[in-house]
Coordinates of all heavy atoms in Angstrom, one line a residue:
M18 N -6.1 11.1 -37.8 CA -5.3 12.0 -38.7 C -5.1 11.4 -40.1 O -4.7 10.2 -40.2 CB -4.0 12.3 -38.0 CG -3.1 13.2 -38.8 SD -1.8 13.8 -37.7 CE -0.7 14.4 -38.9
P19 N -5.2 12.1 -41.1 CA -5.1 11.6 -42.4 C -3.6 11.1 -42.7 O -2.6 11.7 -42.1 CB -5.3 12.8 -43.4 CG -5.6 13.9 -42.5 CD -5.5 13.6 -41.1
R20 N -3.4 10.2 -43.5 CA -2.1 9.6 -43.8 C -1.2 10.7 -44.5 O -0.1 10.8 -44.3 CB -2.2 8.4 -44.7 CG -2.6 7.1 -43.8 CD -2.7 5.9 -44.6 NE -4.0 5.3 -44.4 CZ -4.9 5.1 -45.2 NH1 -4.8 5.2 -46.5 NH2 -6.1 4.6 -44.8
N21 N -1.9 11.3 -45.5 CA -1.1 12.4 -46.1 C -1.2 13.7 -45.4 O -2.3 14.2 -45.1 CB -1.8 12.5 -47.6 CG -1.2 13.6 -48.4 OD1 -0.4 14.4 -47.9 ND2 -1.7 13.8 -49.6
L22 N -0.1 14.2 -45.0 CA -0.2 15.4 -44.2 C -0.8 16.6 -44.8 O -1.2 17.5 -44.2 CB 1.3 15.8 -43.7 CG 1.9 14.7 -42.8 CD1 3.4 15.1 -42.5 CD2 1.2 14.4 -41.6
N23 N -0.8 16.7 -46.2 CA -1.3 17.7 -46.8 C -2.8 17.5 -47.4 O -3.4 18.3 -48.1 CB -0.4 18.0 -48.2 CG 0.9 18.5 -47.8 OD1 1.0 19.3 -46.8 ND2 1.9 18.1 -48.5
A24 N -3.3 16.4 -47.0 CA -4.6 16.0 -47.4 C -5.7 17.0 -47.2 O -6.5 17.4 -48.0 CB -5.1 14.6 -46.8
E25 N -5.7 17.6 -45.9 CA -6.7 18.5 -45.5 C -6.5 19.8 -46.4 O -7.5 20.4 -46.8 CB -6.7 18.8 -44.0 CG -7.8 19.7 -43.6 CD -7.9 19.8 -42.1 OE1 -6.8 19.6 -41.4 OE2 -8.9 20.3 -41.6
R26 N -5.3 20.2 -46.6 CA -5.0 21.4 -47.3 C -5.4 21.2 -48.8 O -6.0 22.1 -49.5 CB -3.5 21.7 -47.3 CG -3.1 23.0 -48.0 CD -1.7 23.2 -48.3 NE -1.3 22.2 -49.3 CZ -0.1 21.8 -49.5 NH1 0.9 22.1 -48.8 NH2 0.1 20.9 -50.5
D27 N -5.2 20.1 -49.4 CA -5.4 19.8 -50.8 C -6.9 19.3 -51.2 O -7.3 19.5 -52.3 CB -4.4 18.7 -51.3 CG -3.0 19.2 -51.2 OD1 -2.8 20.4 -51.1 OD2 -2.1 18.3 -51.2
N28 N -7.5 18.9 -50.2 CA -8.9 18.4 -50.4 C -9.9 19.0 -49.4 O -10.0 18.6 -48.2 CB -9.0 16.8 -50.2 CG -10.3 16.2 -50.4 OD1 -11.2 16.9 -50.8 ND2 -10.4 14.9 -50.3
P29 N -10.6 20.0 -49.8 CA -11.5 20.7 -48.9 C -12.7 19.8 -48.5 O -13.4 20.2 -47.5 CB -12.0 21.9 -49.8 CG -11.8 21.5 -51.2 CD -10.6 20.6 -51.2
C30 N -12.9 18.7 -49.2 CA -14.0 17.8 -48.8 C -13.5 16.4 -48.1 O -14.1 15.4 -48.3 CB -14.8 17.4 -50.1 SG -15.4 18.8 -50.9
L31 N -12.3 16.6 -47.5 CA -11.7 15.4 -46.8 C -12.7 14.8 -45.8 O -12.9 13.5 -45.8 CB -10.4 15.8 -46.2 CG -9.7 14.7 -45.6 CD1 -9.3 13.6 -46.6 CD2 -8.4 15.1 -44.9
K32 N -13.3 15.6 -45.0 CA -14.2 15.1 -44.0 C -15.4 14.3 -44.7 O -15.7 13.2 -44.2 CB -14.8 16.3 -43.2 CG -15.7 15.9 -42.0 CD -16.2 17.0 -41.2 CE -17.4 17.6 -41.9 NZ -18.1 18.7 -41.1
E33 N -16.0 14.9 -45.7 CA -17.1 14.3 -46.4 C -16.6 12.9 -47.1 O -17.4 11.9 -47.0 CB -17.6 15.1 -47.5 CG -18.4 16.3 -46.9 CD -17.6 17.6 -46.4 OE1 -16.3 17.4 -46.6 OE2 -18.1 18.5 -46.0
Q34 N -15.4 12.9 -47.6 CA -14.8 11.7 -48.2 C -14.6 10.6 -47.1 O -15.1 9.5 -47.3 CB -13.5 12.1 -48.9 CG -12.9 10.9 -49.5 CD -11.5 11.3 -50.1 OE1 -11.3 12.4 -50.5 NE2 -10.6 10.4 -50.2
E35 N -14.1 11.0 -46.0 CA -13.8 10.0 -44.9 C -15.2 9.5 -44.3 O -15.3 8.3 -44.0 CB -13.0 10.7 -43.8 CG -11.6 10.9 -44.3 CD -10.8 11.6 -43.3 OE1 -11.3 12.2 -42.3 OE2 -9.5 11.6 -43.4
L36 N -16.2 10.4 -44.2 CA -17.5 9.9 -43.8 C -18.1 8.9 -44.7 O -18.8 8.0 -44.3 CB -18.5 11.0 -43.5 CG -18.1 11.9 -42.3 CD1 -19.0 13.2 -42.3 CD2 -18.3 11.1 -41.0
S37 N -17.9 9.1 -46.0 CA -18.4 8.2 -47.0 C -17.7 6.9 -47.0 O -18.4 5.8 -47.0 CB -18.2 8.7 -48.4 OG -18.9 9.9 -48.7
F38 N -16.5 6.8 -46.8 CA -15.7 5.6 -46.7 C -16.1 4.9 -45.4 O -16.3 3.6 -45.3 CB -14.2 5.8 -46.7 CG -13.6 6.2 -48.0 CD1 -12.5 7.1 -48.0 CD2 -14.1 5.9 -49.1 CE1 -11.9 7.5 -49.2 CE2 -13.6 6.2 -50.3 CZ -12.5 7.1 -50.3
K39 N -16.3 5.6 -44.3 CA -16.7 5.0 -43.0 C -18.1 4.3 -43.2 O -18.3 3.2 -42.7 CB -16.7 6.1 -42.0 CG -16.9 5.6 -40.5 CD -16.8 6.7 -39.6 CE -17.0 6.3 -38.1 NZ -16.9 7.3 -37.2
C40 N -19.0 5.0 -43.9 CA -20.3 4.5 -44.1 C -20.2 3.2 -44.9 O -20.8 2.2 -44.5 CB -21.2 5.5 -44.8 SG -22.8 4.9 -45.2
L41 N -19.4 3.2 -45.9 CA -19.3 2.0 -46.7 C -18.7 0.9 -45.9 O -19.2 -0.2 -45.9 CB -18.3 2.2 -47.9 CG -18.9 3.0 -49.1 CD1 -17.8 3.4 -50.1 CD2 -20.0 2.2 -49.8
N42 N -17.7 1.1 -45.1 CA -17.1 0.1 -44.2 C -18.1 -0.5 -43.3 O -18.2 -1.6 -43.0 CB -15.9 0.6 -43.5 CG -14.6 0.7 -44.4 OD1 -14.5 -0.1 -45.3 ND2 -13.8 1.7 -44.1
K43 N -18.9 0.4 -42.7 CA -19.8 0.1 -41.6 C -21.0 -0.8 -42.2 O -21.6 -1.7 -41.6 CB -20.4 1.4 -41.0 CG -21.5 1.1 -40.0 CD -22.0 2.4 -39.4 CE -23.2 2.3 -38.5 NZ -23.8 3.5 -38.1
N44 N -21.4 -0.5 -43.5 CA -22.5 -1.1 -44.2 C -22.1 -2.2 -45.2 O -22.8 -2.4 -46.1 CB -23.4 -0.1 -44.8 CG -24.1 0.8 -43.7 OD1 -25.0 0.3 -43.0 ND2 -23.7 2.0 -43.7
N45 N -20.9 -2.8 -45.0 CA -20.4 -3.8 -45.8 C -20.4 -3.5 -47.3 O -20.8 -4.3 -48.2 CB -21.2 -5.1 -45.5 CG -20.5 -6.3 -46.0 OD1 -19.3 -6.4 -46.0 ND2 -21.2 -7.5 -46.3
F46 N -20.1 -2.2 -47.6 CA -19.9 -1.7 -49.0 C -21.2 -1.7 -49.7 O -21.3 -1.8 -51.0 CB -18.8 -2.3 -49.7 CG -17.5 -2.0 -49.2 CD1 -17.0 -2.8 -48.1 CD2 -16.8 -0.9 -49.6 CE1 -15.8 -2.3 -47.5 CE2 -15.5 -0.5 -49.0 CZ -15.1 -1.3 -48.0
D47 N -22.4 -1.6 -49.0 CA -23.7 -1.4 -49.6 C -23.9 0.1 -49.9 O -24.2 0.8 -49.1 CB -24.8 -2.0 -48.7 CG -26.2 -1.9 -49.3 OD1 -26.3 -1.3 -50.4 OD2 -27.1 -2.5 -48.7
R48 N -23.7 0.4 -51.2 CA -23.7 1.8 -51.6 C -25.1 2.5 -51.4 O -25.2 3.7 -51.1 CB -23.3 1.9 -53.1 CG -21.9 1.5 -53.3 CD -21.5 1.7 -54.8 NE -21.6 3.1 -55.3 CZ -20.7 4.1 -55.1 NH1 -19.5 3.7 -54.5 NH2 -20.9 5.2 -55.6
D49 N -26.2 1.7 -51.5 CA -27.5 2.2 -51.3 C -27.6 2.9 -49.9 O -28.4 3.8 -49.8 CB -28.6 1.2 -51.6 CG -28.6 0.7 -53.0 OD1 -28.2 1.5 -53.9 OD2 -29.0 -0.4 -53.2
K50 N -27.0 2.3 -49.0 CA -27.2 2.7 -47.6 C -26.3 4.0 -47.4 O -26.5 4.6 -46.3 CB -26.7 1.6 -46.5 CG -27.7 0.5 -46.6 CD -27.3 -0.5 -45.5 CE -28.2 -1.7 -45.6 NZ -27.9 -2.8 -44.6
C51 N -25.4 4.5 -48.2 CA -24.6 5.5 -48.0 C -24.9 6.7 -49.1 O -24.1 7.6 -49.2 CB -23.2 5.1 -48.2 SG -22.7 3.9 -47.0
E52 N -26.0 6.7 -49.7 CA -26.3 7.7 -50.7 C -26.2 9.1 -50.2 O -25.8 10.0 -50.9 CB -27.7 7.4 -51.3 CG -27.7 6.2 -52.3 CD -29.0 6.0 -53.0 OE1 -29.9 6.9 -52.9 OE2 -29.2 4.9 -53.5
V53 N -26.7 9.3 -49.0 CA -26.8 10.7 -48.3 C -25.3 11.1 -48.2 O -25.0 12.3 -48.5 CB -27.4 10.6 -47.0 CG1 -27.3 11.9 -46.3 CG2 -28.9 10.3 -47.1
Y54 N -24.4 10.3 -47.8 CA -23.0 10.7 -47.7 C -22.4 10.9 -49.0 O -21.6 11.9 -49.1 CB -22.2 9.6 -47.0 CG -22.6 9.3 -45.6 CD1 -23.5 8.4 -45.3 CD2 -22.0 10.1 -44.6 CE1 -23.9 8.2 -43.8 CE2 -22.3 9.9 -43.2 CZ -23.3 8.9 -42.9 OH -23.6 8.8 -41.6
F55 N -22.7 10.2 -50.1 CA -22.2 10.4 -51.4 C -22.8 11.8 -52.0 O -22.0 12.6 -52.5 CB -22.6 9.3 -52.4 CG -22.1 8.0 -52.0 CD1 -22.7 6.8 -52.2 CD2 -20.8 7.9 -51.4 CE1 -22.2 5.6 -51.9 CE2 -20.3 6.6 -51.1 CZ -21.0 5.5 -51.3
A56 N -24.0 12.0 -51.7 CA -24.6 13.3 -52.2 C -23.9 14.4 -51.5 O -23.6 15.5 -52.2 CB -26.1 13.3 -52.0
N57 N -23.7 14.4 -50.2 CA -23.0 15.4 -49.5 C -21.6 15.7 -50.0 O -21.2 16.8 -50.2 CB -23.0 15.0 -48.0 CG -22.5 16.2 -47.1 OD1 -23.0 17.4 -47.4 ND2 -21.8 16.0 -46.1
Y58 N -20.9 14.6 -50.3 CA -19.5 14.6 -50.8 C -19.5 15.4 -52.2 O -18.8 16.2 -52.4 CB -18.9 13.2 -51.0 CG -17.6 13.3 -51.6 CD1 -16.4 13.8 -51.0 CD2 -17.4 12.8 -52.9 CE1 -15.2 13.8 -51.6 CE2 -16.2 12.7 -53.5 CZ -15.1 13.3 -52.9 OH -13.9 13.3 -53.6
N59 N -20.5 14.9 -53.0 CA -20.6 15.5 -54.4 C -21.0 16.9 -54.3 O -20.4 17.8 -55.1 CB -21.6 14.8 -55.2 CG -21.1 13.4 -55.6 OD1 -19.9 13.2 -55.8 ND2 -22.1 12.4 -55.8
N60 N -21.9 17.4 -53.4 CA -22.2 18.7 -53.2 C -20.9 19.6 -52.8 O -20.8 20.7 -53.2 CB -23.3 19.0 -52.3 CG -24.6 18.5 -52.7 OD1 -24.9 18.4 -53.9 ND2 -25.6 18.1 -51.8
C61 N -20.2 19.1 -51.9 CA -19.0 19.7 -51.4 C -18.1 19.9 -52.6 O -17.5 21.0 -52.8 CB -18.3 18.8 -50.3 SG -16.8 19.5 -49.7
K62 N -17.8 18.9 -53.4 CA -16.8 18.9 -54.5 C -17.4 20.0 -55.5 O -16.6 20.8 -56.0 CB -16.6 17.6 -55.2 CG -15.9 16.6 -54.4 CD -14.5 16.9 -54.0 CE -13.6 16.7 -55.1 NZ -12.2 16.9 -54.7
E63 N -18.6 20.0 -55.8 CA -19.2 20.9 -56.7 C -19.0 22.4 -56.2 O -18.6 23.2 -57.0 CB -20.7 20.6 -56.8 CG -21.4 21.4 -57.9 CD -22.9 20.9 -58.1 OE1 -23.0 19.7 -58.4 OE2 -23.8 21.7 -57.9
F64 N -19.3 22.6 -54.9 CA -19.0 23.9 -54.4 C -17.7 24.4 -54.5 O -17.4 25.5 -54.9 CB -19.5 23.9 -52.9 CG -19.2 25.2 -52.2 CD1 -19.9 26.3 -52.3 CD2 -18.1 25.2 -51.3 CE1 -19.7 27.6 -51.7 CE2 -17.8 26.4 -50.6 CZ -18.6 27.6 -50.9
W65 N -16.7 23.6 -54.1 CA -15.3 24.0 -54.1 C -14.8 24.1 -55.6 O -13.9 24.9 -55.8 CB -14.4 23.1 -53.2 CG -14.7 23.5 -51.8 CD1 -15.3 22.6 -50.9 CD2 -14.5 24.7 -51.1 NE1 -15.4 23.2 -49.7 CE2 -14.9 24.5 -49.8 CE3 -13.8 25.9 -51.5 CZ2 -14.8 25.5 -48.8 CZ3 -13.7 26.9 -50.5 CH2 -14.3 26.7 -49.2
N66 N -15.2 23.3 -56.5 CA -14.9 23.5 -57.8 C -15.3 24.8 -58.4 O -14.7 25.5 -59.1 CB -15.3 22.3 -58.7 CG -14.5 21.1 -58.5 OD1 -13.4 21.2 -58.1 ND2 -15.1 19.9 -58.7
K67 N -16.6 25.2 -58.0 CA -17.1 26.5 -58.4 C -16.3 27.6 -57.9 O -16.0 28.5 -58.5 CB -18.5 26.6 -57.9 CG -19.2 27.8 -58.3 CD -20.6 27.9 -57.8 CE -21.3 29.2 -58.2 NZ -22.6 29.4 -57.6
V68 N -15.9 27.5 -56.6 CA -15.0 28.5 -55.9 C -13.7 28.6 -56.6 O -13.3 29.7 -57.0 CB -14.8 28.2 -54.4 CG1 -13.7 29.1 -53.8 CG2 -16.1 28.3 -53.6
K69 N -13.1 27.5 -57.0 CA -11.8 27.5 -57.7 C -12.0 28.1 -59.0 O -11.1 29.0 -59.5 CB -11.3 26.1 -57.9 CG -10.7 25.5 -56.6 CD -9.9 24.3 -56.8 CE -10.6 23.1 -57.4 NZ -9.9 21.8 -57.4
S70 N -13.1 27.8 -59.7 CA -13.3 28.4 -61.1 C -13.4 29.9 -61.0 O -12.9 30.6 -61.8 CB -14.5 27.7 -61.7 OG -14.8 28.2 -62.9
E71 N -14.2 30.3 -60.0 CA -14.4 31.8 -59.9 C -13.1 32.5 -59.5 O -12.9 33.6 -60.0 CB -15.5 32.1 -58.8 CG -16.9 31.7 -59.3 CD -17.9 31.9 -58.2 OE1 -17.6 32.3 -57.0 OE2 -19.1 31.5 -58.4
R72 N -12.3 32.0 -58.6 CA -11.0 32.6 -58.3 C -10.0 32.6 -59.4 O -9.3 33.6 -59.7 CB -10.4 31.8 -57.1 CG -11.2 32.1 -55.8 CD -10.7 31.2 -54.7 NE -9.3 31.4 -54.2 CZ -9.0 32.2 -53.2 NH1 -9.9 32.8 -52.5 NH2 -7.6 32.3 -52.9
R73 N -10.1 31.5 -60.3 CA -9.2 31.4 -61.4 C -9.6 32.5 -62.5 O -8.8 33.3 -63.0 CB -9.3 30.1 -62.1 CG -8.3 29.9 -63.2 CD -8.5 28.6 -63.8 NE -8.2 27.4 -62.9 CZ -9.2 26.5 -62.5 NH1 -10.4 26.6 -63.0 NH2 -8.8 25.6 -61.6
A74 N -11.0 32.7 -62.7 CA -11.4 33.7 -63.6 C -11.1 35.1 -63.1 O -10.9 36.0 -63.9 CB -13.0 33.6 -63.7
K75 N -11.1 35.4 -61.8 CA -10.7 36.7 -61.2 C -9.2 36.9 -61.0 O -8.8 38.0 -60.6 CB -11.4 36.9 -59.9 CG -13.0 36.9 -59.9 CD -13.6 37.0 -58.6 CE -15.1 37.1 -58.7 NZ -15.7 37.0 -57.4
G76 N -8.4 35.8 -61.3 CA -7.0 35.9 -61.2 C -6.5 35.8 -59.8 O -5.4 36.3 -59.5
I77 N -7.3 35.2 -58.9 CA -7.0 35.2 -57.4 C -6.2 33.8 -57.3 O -6.6 32.8 -57.7 CB -8.2 35.1 -56.6 CG1 -9.0 36.4 -56.7 CG2 -7.8 34.9 -55.1 CD1 -10.3 36.4 -56.1
A78 N -5.0 33.9 -56.7 CA -4.3 32.6 -56.5 C -4.0 32.5 -55.0 O -3.8 33.6 -54.3 CB -2.9 32.7 -57.2
P79 N -4.0 31.4 -54.5 CA -4.2 30.1 -55.1 C -5.7 29.9 -55.4 O -6.5 30.5 -54.7 CB -3.7 29.1 -54.0 CG -4.0 29.8 -52.7 CD -3.7 31.2 -53.0
Y80 N -5.9 29.1 -56.4 CA -7.3 28.9 -56.8 C -8.2 28.3 -55.8 O -9.3 28.6 -55.5 CB -7.4 28.0 -58.1 CG -6.7 28.6 -59.2 CD1 -5.9 27.8 -60.1 CD2 -6.6 30.0 -59.5 CE1 -5.2 28.4 -61.2 CE2 -5.9 30.6 -60.5 CZ -5.3 29.8 -61.4 OH -4.6 30.3 -62.5
L81 N -7.5 27.3 -55.0 CA -8.2 26.7 -53.8 C -7.8 27.5 -52.6 O -6.6 27.6 -52.3 CB -7.8 25.2 -53.7 CG -8.4 24.5 -52.5 CD1 -9.9 24.4 -52.6 CD2 -7.8 23.1 -52.4
P82 N -8.8 28.1 -52.0 CA -8.4 29.0 -50.8 C -7.7 28.2 -49.7 O -7.9 27.1 -49.5 CB -9.8 29.5 -50.3 CG -10.8 29.1 -51.3 CD -10.2 28.0 -52.2
P83 N -6.9 28.9 -49.0 CA -6.2 28.3 -47.8 C -7.1 27.8 -46.8 O -8.3 28.4 -46.7 CB -5.2 29.4 -47.4 CG -5.3 30.5 -48.3 CD -6.4 30.3 -49.3
L84 N -6.8 26.9 -46.0 CA -7.6 26.4 -44.9 C -8.2 27.5 -44.1 O -9.5 27.4 -43.7 CB -6.9 25.5 -44.0 CG -6.5 24.1 -44.5 CD1 -5.5 23.4 -43.6 CD2 -7.7 23.3 -44.7
E85 N -7.5 28.5 -43.7 CA -7.9 29.6 -42.8 C -9.1 30.4 -43.4 O -9.8 31.1 -42.7 CB -6.8 30.4 -42.2 CG -5.9 31.1 -43.3 CD -4.8 30.1 -43.8 OE1 -4.7 29.0 -43.4 OE2 -3.9 30.6 -44.5
E86 N -9.2 30.4 -44.7 CA -10.2 31.2 -45.4 C -11.5 30.5 -45.8 O -12.5 31.0 -46.1 CB -9.7 31.8 -46.7 CG -8.6 32.8 -46.6 CD -8.0 33.3 -47.9 OE1 -8.6 33.1 -49.0 OE2 -6.9 33.8 -47.9
R87 N -11.4 29.1 -45.7 CA -12.5 28.3 -46.2 C -13.9 28.5 -45.4 O -14.9 28.6 -46.0 CB -12.1 26.9 -46.2 CG -11.1 26.6 -47.3 CD -10.7 25.2 -47.4 NE -9.5 25.1 -48.2 CZ -8.8 24.0 -48.4 NH1 -9.1 22.9 -47.7 NH2 -7.7 24.1 -49.1
D88 N -13.8 28.6 -44.1 CA -15.0 28.8 -43.2 C -15.6 30.0 -43.6 O -16.9 30.1 -43.6 CB -14.7 28.6 -41.7 CG -14.3 27.3 -41.3 OD1 -14.8 26.3 -41.9 OD2 -13.7 27.1 -40.3
A89 N -14.9 31.1 -43.8 CA -15.5 32.4 -44.1 C -16.2 32.3 -45.5 O -17.2 32.8 -45.7 CB -14.5 33.5 -44.1
I90 N -15.6 31.6 -46.5 CA -16.1 31.5 -47.7 C -17.5 30.7 -47.7 O -18.4 31.1 -48.3 CB -15.1 30.9 -48.7 CG1 -14.0 31.8 -49.0 CG2 -15.8 30.4 -50.1 CD1 -12.8 31.3 -49.8
K91 N -17.5 29.6 -47.0 CA -18.7 28.8 -46.8 C -19.8 29.6 -46.1 O -20.9 29.6 -46.5 CB -18.4 27.6 -46.0 CG -17.7 26.5 -46.8 CD -17.8 25.2 -46.2 CE -16.8 25.1 -45.0 NZ -16.7 23.7 -44.3
A92 N -19.4 30.4 -45.1 CA -20.4 31.2 -44.4 C -21.0 32.3 -45.3 O -22.2 32.5 -45.3 CB -19.7 31.8 -43.2
E93 N -20.1 32.9 -46.1 CA -20.7 33.9 -47.1 C -21.6 33.3 -48.1 O -22.6 33.9 -48.4 CB -19.5 34.5 -47.8 CG -19.8 35.7 -48.7 CD -20.3 37.0 -48.0 OE1 -19.9 37.2 -46.8 OE2 -21.1 37.7 -48.5
Y94 N -21.3 32.1 -48.5 CA -22.2 31.4 -49.4 C -23.5 31.1 -48.9 O -24.5 31.3 -49.4 CB -21.5 30.1 -50.0 CG -22.5 29.2 -50.7 CD1 -22.7 29.6 -52.1 CD2 -23.0 28.1 -50.1 CE1 -23.6 28.7 -52.8 CE2 -23.9 27.3 -50.9 CZ -24.2 27.7 -52.2 OH -25.1 26.9 -52.9
M95 N -23.5 30.7 -47.6 CA -24.7 30.3 -46.8 C -25.6 31.5 -46.6 O -26.8 31.4 -46.5 CB -24.4 29.5 -45.5 CG -23.7 28.2 -45.7 SD -24.6 27.1 -46.9 CE -25.8 26.5 -45.7
K96 N -24.9 32.6 -46.3 CA -25.8 33.9 -46.2 C -26.7 34.2 -47.4 O -27.8 34.6 -47.3 CB -24.9 35.0 -45.8 CG -24.5 35.2 -44.4 CD -23.9 36.5 -44.1 CE -22.6 36.8 -44.7 NZ -22.0 38.0 -44.3
G97 N -26.1 34.0 -48.6 CA -26.9 34.3 -49.8 C -27.8 33.2 -50.3 O -28.5 33.4 -51.2
K98 N -27.7 32.1 -49.7 CA -28.5 30.9 -50.1 C -29.9 31.0 -49.5 O -30.0 31.2 -48.3 CB -27.8 29.5 -49.6 CG -28.4 28.3 -50.1 CD -27.6 27.2 -49.8 CE -28.2 25.9 -50.3 NZ -27.7 24.7 -49.9
P99 N -31.0 30.7 -50.3 CA -32.3 30.8 -49.7 C -32.6 29.6 -48.7 O -32.0 28.6 -48.8 CB -33.3 30.6 -50.9 CG -32.3 30.2 -52.1 CD -30.9 30.5 -51.7
Q100 N -33.2 29.9 -47.6 CA -33.6 29.0 -46.6 C -34.5 27.9 -47.1 O -35.4 28.2 -48.0 CB -34.3 29.7 -45.4 CG -33.4 30.7 -44.7 CD -32.3 29.9 -43.9 OE1 -32.5 28.9 -43.5 NE2 -31.1 30.6 -43.9
Q101 N -34.2 26.7 -46.7 CA -35.1 25.5 -47.1 C -36.0 25.2 -46.0 O -35.7 25.3 -44.8 CB -34.2 24.3 -47.5 CG -33.4 24.6 -48.7 CD -32.6 23.2 -49.0 OE1 -32.7 22.3 -48.3 NE2 -31.8 23.3 -50.0
S102 N -37.3 24.8 -46.4 CA -38.2 24.6 -45.3 C -38.6 23.1 -45.4 O -38.4 22.3 -46.2 CB -39.4 25.3 -45.4 OG -39.8 25.9 -46.6

């Protein structure tokens, strides 16, 4: 459980962040071995920053969607994303 009780609410990429830290700890802070985790975290932050920006532009508050709406927003995004092979 996160130390900050609001961490999950305030950080939609908390899981990715924790996995990055765990990788660093496991690999004696060798950043090269954790590049995949960092890329995943950065993709997550980029996605949610885009969502916040779009909601702000449309006047939707709160800008960061509540926890219960996030899975649906991600699923909607994935439906429109082209399949990678």
Side-chain angles (χ1 to χ4, degrees):
M18 182 165 160
R20 282 180 230 123
N21 177 355
L22 298 177
N23 295 323
E25 191 174 12
R26 185 196 70 201
D27 298 337
N28 181 359
C30 301
L31 183 63
K32 182 178 83 173
E33 291 81 358
Q34 178 181 336
E35 289 175 343
L36 288 171
S37 296
F38 289 150
K39 187 175 182 179
C40 179
L41 285 170
N42 284 328
K43 179 181 172 187
N44 292 292
N45 202 25
F46 293 86
D47 183 349
R48 294 181 61 83
D49 293 336
K50 292 182 179 175
C51 301
E52 286 183 19
V53 171
Y54 292 96
F55 298 147
N57 192 38
Y58 174 72
N59 288 330
N60 288 339
C61 180
K62 292 298 280 188
E63 188 176 299
F64 172 76
W65 288 109
N66 283 335
K67 181 179 175 187
V68 169
K69 287 194 298 188
S70 177
E71 288 175 0
R72 288 171 66 97
R73 186 178 302 115
K75 294 176 182 176
I77 302 171
Y80 302 141
L81 180 62
L84 286 169
E85 56 273 6
E86 293 179 18
R87 292 181 191 169
D88 285 338
I90 290 170
K91 284 193 287 189
E93 186 66 30
Y94 171 77
M95 294 306 283
K96 276 197 288 186
K98 189 174 180 189
Q100 293 291 325
Q101 294 182 0
S102 25

